[in-house]
């Protein structure tokens, strides 16, 4: 099913985002590309490998980001912006901070 055109609150989400975490003393970059046509790609990169990309559709509903992939449950979590970073998920004790990749 196609999603309606992005609500005005989804426009600032469009772009390429990267979140870096340290896992066993090695950096792990997670990439998230949110396209204006409501498709997304998500993959991880470590020193050893680049993970298999996931793809599907996304939408923003007020302060909730929703991901849909074929054969999977929808994933949704609250988001916000803080000093130019995307905070997703925006949940106590589990916040992820994503930087925009130019």
């Amino acid at each position: 099913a196609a999603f309606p055109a992005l609500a005005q609150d989804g426009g600032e989400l469009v772009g390429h985002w990267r979140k870096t975490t340290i896992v066993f003393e090695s950096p792990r970059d997670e990439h998230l590309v949110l396209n204006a046509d409501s498709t997304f790609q998500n993959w991880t990169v470590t020193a050893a490998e680049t993970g298999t990309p996931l793809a599907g559709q996304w939408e923003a509903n007020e302060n909730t980001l929703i991901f849909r992939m074929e054969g999977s449950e929808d994933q949704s979590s609250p988001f916000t912006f803080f000093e130019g970073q995307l905070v997703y998920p925006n949940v106590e004790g589990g916040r992820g901070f994503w930087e925009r990749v130019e």
Side-chain angles (χ1 to χ4, degrees):
F3 295 123
L6 282 181
Q8 61 276 13
D9 61 349
E12 67 271 25
L13 287 162
V14 171
H16 184 166
W17 300 92
R18 180 183 60 219
K19 178 179 72 173
T20 302
T21 52
I22 304 299
V23 180
F24 301 115
E25 299 181 8
S26 296
R28 175 183 181 267
D29 286 343
E30 185 172 357
H31 291 262
L32 177 62
V33 176
L34 300 175
N35 298 304
D37 67 358
S38 81
T39 60
F40 79 89
Q41 295 83 40
N42 177 226
W43 69 95
T44 57
V45 178
T46 64
E49 66 178 5
T50 297
T52 303
L54 299 174
Q57 293 186 296
W58 71 278
E59 71 176 306
N61 185 348
E62 295 182 4
N63 66 342
T64 300
L65 194 48
I66 304 159
F67 292 99
R68 293 193 174 100
M69 289 181 293
E70 198 70 38
S72 297
E73 295 276 319
D74 288 2
Q75 294 183 16
S76 64
S77 291
F79 75 92
T80 191
F81 290 98
F82 179 74
E83 295 181 352
Q85 291 184 315
L86 169 63
V87 183
Y88 177 82
N90 183 23
V91 293
E92 189 69 37
R95 287 186 180 92
F97 292 89
W98 300 75
E99 294 181 8
R100 190 178 289 279
V101 178
E102 295 306 326

